[in-house]
Amino acid sequence: MQLKVAIQGIKGSFHEEAAYKYFGEQIETVECESFKKTCELLKQGKVNYIVMAIENSIAGSLLPNYNLLRDYRFPIVGEVYLHIKLHLMALPGVTLQDIRFVESHPIALQQCNDFLEENPQFQVTEGEDTAGSAKKVSEQQLKDTAAIAPQLAAKLYGLEILERRIETNKKNYTRFLILSTQSEEKAKVNKASLSFQTGNGVGSLSTVLQCFAEQQINLTKIQSMPVLGKRNEYDFYVDVEWKNQADYDAAIRRVLKHTSNFSIMGEYIKNEKV
């Protein structure tokens, strides 16, 4: 049976590219207009997995998605890092001199700021989606408009790339989480996403972090989010990596003594940036 994977955005987007990188291309991607819609489809059993962006090396954490992780409590079964490469694309036969308008998602436009400043002849317009801008150029046969989007979008919508790698920062990565309704047993897991609360006492968070450090557990990310309706109370979300499973197990036992509402959101195999 073909796996169904919910993605935010449309086909040809970075979310679809991340899905293909993790699962391979023999999957069916299901387009969703919002991250909440992806969660609803998984909850209803209409898809097998969600691919959800959680942080970008330039833009930072996607905080609303932490709220979705808290509300839906789907297990995290994997992660994938995607190197964000942005290209200028247009209809076949259209040249750079023909272009008057450039359209893309606001963040993508921001990430290509140097290129756009070097080409002030382009009138920049914001779209809802990188791949959506490419699809619009293709479907409406816009010969005076170029889109900034992933290579997958050019392939999917029959566009030609006029300028490659126009993003300002060439080391831009987005991290995506893979969510399911059930935890998956995997050999040699070496990364986990955890959430917990601590008391308000002096050094309470420091005590927890010290437990990880003393067991040789590498803390790769920490994110705090206010607890709804409770003043000065926070949920902490941390990602940890380890080389020795026994060290991780010992760290968890110690951390449990200093936290409340502790949850292992997922244990999975670390994905490398390539």
Side-chain angles (χ1 to χ4, degrees), residues 18 29 124 182-183 208 231:
T29 52
V124 176
Q182 300 289 330
S183 298
V208 174
R231 188 181 175 195

Side-chain angles (χ1 to χ4, degrees), residues 120-136:
Q121 73 274 20
F122 297 149
Q123 184 174 324
V124 176
T125 56
E126 294 184 354
E128 292 184 4
D129 190 277
T130 52
S133 296
K135 185 179 182 182
K136 176 181 173 182

